[in-house]
Amino acid sequence: MVKKEMIAMLLAGGQGSRLGVLTSKVAKPAVSFGGKYRIIDFPLSNCINSGVDTVGVLTQYQPLRLNTHIGIGIPWDLDRNIGGVTVLPPYEKSENSEWYTGTANAIYQNIDYMESFNPDYVLILSGDHIYKMDYEVMLDYHKQHNAECTIAVMPVPMEEAKRFGIMITDENGKITDFEEKPANPRSNLASMGIYIFNWKTLKEALIARSSQPNLDFGKHVIPYCHENGAPMYAYEFNGYWKDVGTLNSYWEANMELIDIVPEFNLYEEYWKIYTKSEILPPQYIAPEGVIERSIVGEGSEIAGQIYNSVIGCGVVVGKGTVIRDSIVMNNTVVGEGCELNKAIVAENVSIGDGVKLGIGEEAENDIAPHIYNSGIATVGEKSVIPKGVSIGKNTVVFGVTESADYPDGILPGGKSIIKAGEEK
């Protein structure tokens, strides 16, 4: 039997419904980020940079692009004979088959996988956060305190604390109590959804609570460990960490990459972010092309003007087009004479000549104001926008659209076009 000190289990099954059409065909961890990366690249890179060489990736929702991206783990040096990266979808068992119904249920269904490495410790991670963290330092903290469970926490403003699982600790960092999204929080230490368990403790808790429907770490496993007297500690993290679960936080996190002094730096030599790179030619900037304070992926051809934006790989931007404060993902073609303001355009989109996107006044979105807000115009993947139309703010377009879909050539602010066969 192979022995690993610590293995990681990366929960990457999230539907990410608050990202709207960006996740209608792809799991949230596989959404593009920062021009050339996908969101899951960050926790995977953290693993290999922290010396964790065995990672189980638990997928469920729309896993195809995620599985293709991860492959056998070569970009992260996780193509190992023993350990490495393994994609773990739900599977048929002889007596019954079931989807992963909660975060901890997904881990429970893979007890045999974890057991095969006979680990001392298991690191539980989420696949949809942007951050850099040395898990080895967290493991050292876990050992020093003889903890059976260590939860990474981050101080948040007190007024925001009610949105998180909150840990209450003594002066040594020992967790004395915790509250899930409390109305009146007693502390501002928010759980980051990153846990280190002693394998024995985790296994016992999962088996004891396995019949619980929608088995979840915050609601069931952590309380079980606490009730049974397992020493639990909070590991305080003070670096950059962002949950890119909403369109606005996703847009903000991309924009923060291009700050003059970025809070989150992709260019650090000692903590590289690895990804699966396509074999692409270098980017080409035409004589009339202008790029200011932007990230532009390789293989892109820019004949327009780009300001304060994140442009993916293989993007074509036509002459006379001006793009500001926007995210344009891989292999999208933007025609000539277009104007994009604070837009998020997904992969493989075709935008005709003279299109104006993100103009006019803000209005509340007509189908999902809780998703499409903050003045962002959103275009789902593989969409087609015909030439010459104008599209307002807080709008969403998804599917192959035609001129007839835009009365008077306009989609006013807050309106949506989602073609049949495409989901919200």
Side-chain angles (χ1 to χ4, degrees):
M1 194 183 211
V2 185
K3 172 93 181 125
K4 293 276 182 187
E5 182 183 31
M6 181 162 80
I7 65 170
M9 298 295 275
L10 180 54
L11 294 155
Q15 184 171 347
S17 52
R18 290 174 303 151
L19 286 176
V21 294
L22 296 189
T23 50
S24 63
K25 298 273 176 82
V26 57
K28 183 160 80 165
V31 171
S32 293
F33 184 82
K36 66 178 288 184
Y37 303 100
R38 296 192 183 276
I39 293 170
I40 198 168
D41 292 338
F42 295 85
L44 276 178
S45 298
N46 286 342
C47 284
I48 204 64
N49 287 330
S50 303
V52 179
D53 66 1
T54 303
V55 185
V57 179
L58 294 94
T59 61
Q60 176 156 301
Y61 172 78
Q62 296 279 15
L64 180 65
R65 192 169 310 163
L66 198 58
N67 296 356
T68 310
H69 181 66
I70 293 168
I72 57 169
I74 291 170
W76 304 272
D77 193 26
L78 286 169
D79 50 326
R80 308 293 174 101
N81 287 336
I82 296 164
V85 69
T86 308
V87 175
L88 301 166
Y91 58 93
E92 292 268 353
K93 299 166 205 63
S94 52
E95 69 283 3
N96 67 343
S97 80
E98 57 174 324
W99 287 102
Y100 298 152
T101 57
T103 53
N105 174 265
I107 303 290
Y108 168 72
Q109 288 195 40
N110 288 285
I111 277 184
D112 291 349
Y113 168 81
M114 294 181 283
E115 192 73 89
S116 68
F117 297 104
N118 188 24
D120 297 322
Y121 309 101
V122 176
L123 169 67
I124 309 285
L125 302 170
S126 170
D128 49 15
H129 298 146
I130 305 292
Y131 65 108
K132 295 177 188 173
M133 183 184 213
D134 191 339
Y135 304 132
E136 209 163 11
V137 176
M138 183 173 168
L139 179 60
D140 289 343
Y141 177 92
H142 179 85
K143 291 176 184 170
Q144 281 161 11
H145 289 83
N146 291 319
E148 289 186 26
C149 168
T150 297
I151 300 173
V153 296
M154 193 163 189
V156 295
M158 210 61 181
E159 60 275 13
E160 285 184 28
K162 57 178 176 291
R163 297 196 298 120
F164 297 93
I166 294 296
M167 304 294 138
I168 292 121
T169 60
D170 66 14
E171 63 279 4
N172 301 317
K174 186 171 187 180
I175 295 169
T176 55
D177 202 359
F178 48 86
E179 307 167 315
E180 188 68 30
K181 299 184 179 170
N184 300 301
R186 289 183 281 155
S187 146
N188 69 333
L189 293 178
S191 166
M192 297 167 66
I194 299 169
Y195 314 109
I196 291 179
F197 285 93
N198 290 6
W199 169 227
K200 191 164 65 54
T201 307
L202 175 63
K203 187 176 169 185
E204 180 197 314
L206 290 172
I207 291 169
R209 285 291 173 94
S210 61
S211 58
Q212 177 75 44
N214 303 324
L215 186 63
D216 181 83
F217 276 99
K219 296 189 184 89
H220 309 120
V221 173
I222 306 280
Y224 175 87
C225 295
H226 187 60
E227 286 156 18
N228 286 278
M232 298 169 69
Y233 281 80
Y235 171 74
E236 192 170 321
F237 177 72
N238 285 297
Y240 179 96
W241 180 83
K242 195 132 193 160
D243 176 351
V244 287
T246 65
L247 283 176
N248 193 45
S249 65
Y250 172 80
W251 179 83
E252 274 179 3
N254 273 277
M255 293 299 120
E256 282 166 357
L257 296 175
I258 48 180
D259 282 347
I260 302 300
V261 180
E263 199 180 340
F264 187 78
N265 188 349
L266 291 171
Y267 302 94
E268 283 171 334
E269 190 55 40
Y270 73 94
W271 199 269
K272 288 194 169 82
I273 305 299
Y274 300 94
T275 188
K276 178 188 178 192
S277 288
E278 307 297 335
I279 309 303
L280 291 168
Q283 53 187 234
Y284 172 73
I285 316 300
E288 62 275 21
V290 175
I291 297 177
E292 275 184 21
R293 205 173 118 173
S294 297
I295 288 172
V296 179
E298 53 258 310
S300 290
E301 299 172 27
I302 311 295
Q305 300 171 35
I306 295 174
Y307 303 98
N308 205 53
S309 294
V310 175
I311 308 294
C313 303
V315 172
V316 177
V317 176
K319 283 183 188 175
T321 287
V322 180
I323 298 177
R324 294 181 193 277
D325 306 323
S326 295
I327 300 163
V328 180
M329 298 187 205
N330 302 352
N331 303 315
T332 280
V333 177
V334 183
E336 298 186 356
C338 296
E339 191 183 309
L340 276 65
N341 297 296
K342 199 173 181 183
I344 298 177
V345 181
E347 300 183 41
N348 298 295
V349 169
S350 174
I351 296 179
D353 295 348
V355 167
K356 290 183 165 47
L357 188 54
I359 59 165
E361 299 297 310
E362 278 193 44
E364 186 171 274
N365 184 265
D366 56 355
I367 56 163
H370 61 294
I371 295 175
Y372 304 108
N373 50 40
S374 316
I376 296 169
T378 307
V379 182
E381 68 172 56
K382 295 184 182 168
S383 296
V384 175
I385 297 179
K387 66 182 185 184
V389 302
S390 296
I391 297 171
K393 298 175 178 176
N394 292 339
T395 49
V396 54
V397 176
F398 191 24
V400 177
T401 65
E402 298 160 1
S403 301
D405 296 314
Y406 302 84
D408 304 321
I410 294 170
L411 182 67
K415 298 298 180 193
S416 311
I417 301 177
I418 293 184
K419 300 297 265 190
E422 311 291 6
E423 305 81 32
K424 288 179 191 173

